[in-house]
Amino acid sequence: MRTVKELRLAGLFAYLAALALGLLFSYLLHVLLGGGGRLGWAGFNFPGLLEGLGFLFFFTFVLYLAKKAVRVPCTTLLTAGLLWPTPARRLAKTLPRVEALEAYEGRGVALLVQEGRPVGLLGLSDHILPLEEVPSVEAEVAASELYPLFLRQPLVLVVRGEEVVGAIPREAFFRYLGV
């Protein structure tokens, strides 16, 4: 699972690569057309229009390939990493903590805590699930990276070291995606 910072850097590098390759393609068109193309402030002619369109199409094509290669969200790619994906900690809802099994009322998911340390999850199945059996991700992991986990699991825990920050239910994740 990649963090938000890694996705921002991937988006920046992919965007810069697409920009450089687009400019290189435009320059090659400029040389092939005899170097007389003008498109911009000083003038305008047909070879210049071809160079501009060549840049636009090649830049877009390389962005499309880069999106498939590095798998970053469109907003992160198109803004060169300025708009980053949501971290998992922002989607996580805090779980109620239960000190003793008798205190659990049977409504929703709760975190079973013994001696101040979380040990299991209540409410996902008919028994206590140890935390090792529940999928968990670090708080700074990008929420867009969690899709494969939610295909198999109804809930993902968000942790920061040993501390459980919260949980993301499947319904909330798909609402975040707009599905």
Side-chain angles (χ1 to χ4, degrees):
M1 300 280 161
R2 295 180 295 175
T3 64
V4 172
K5 183 178 179 180
E6 292 169 344
L7 284 177
R8 287 182 73 187
L9 282 175
L12 173 66
F13 290 143
Y15 185 87
L16 291 176
L19 183 64
L21 290 173
L23 288 172
L24 180 65
F25 183 76
S26 178
Y27 177 71
L28 290 175
L29 277 178
H30 179 73
V31 170
L32 287 174
L33 295 174
R38 290 187 317 257
L39 177 67
W41 307 108
F44 176 77
N45 63 5
F46 186 69
L49 181 63
L50 285 178
E51 292 170 16
L53 288 175
F55 167 78
L56 184 64
F57 287 128
F58 200 75
F59 175 70
T60 305
F61 178 69
V62 174
L63 275 180
Y64 171 75
L65 292 179
K67 180 172 178 2
K68 289 203 171 281
V70 296
R71 295 183 348 261
V72 295
C74 280
T75 54
T76 304
L77 179 63
L78 293 177
T79 62
L82 294 177
L83 293 178
W84 54 88
T86 305
R89 67 178 154 70
R90 297 244 344 256
L91 290 181
K93 304 287 185 229
T94 57
L95 292 173
R97 295 175 179 265
V98 175
E99 295 289 333
L101 194 56
E102 297 81 32
Y104 178 63
E105 297 174 0
R107 284 182 269 148
V109 179
L111 189 63
L112 181 61
V113 179
Q114 287 181 348
E115 299 172 6
R117 194 172 151 259
V119 293
L121 224 67
L122 301 167
L124 277 183
S125 62
D126 56 350
H127 61 282
I128 301 171
L129 279 176
L131 286 185
E132 294 81 28
E133 292 182 18
V134 181
S136 62
V137 295
E138 281 293 322
E140 292 306 315
V141 167
S144 59
E145 296 284 303
L146 302 178
Y147 188 78
L149 291 175
F150 282 107
L151 291 177
R152 294 172 281 153
Q153 303 293 331
L155 182 99
V156 173
L157 289 178
V158 178
V159 297
R160 184 177 290 130
E162 291 286 319
E163 174 195 1
V164 176
V165 175
I168 305 171
R170 182 185 290 157
E171 298 81 26
F173 176 73
F174 285 124
R175 229 177 303 124
Y176 160 74
L177 290 181
V179 179

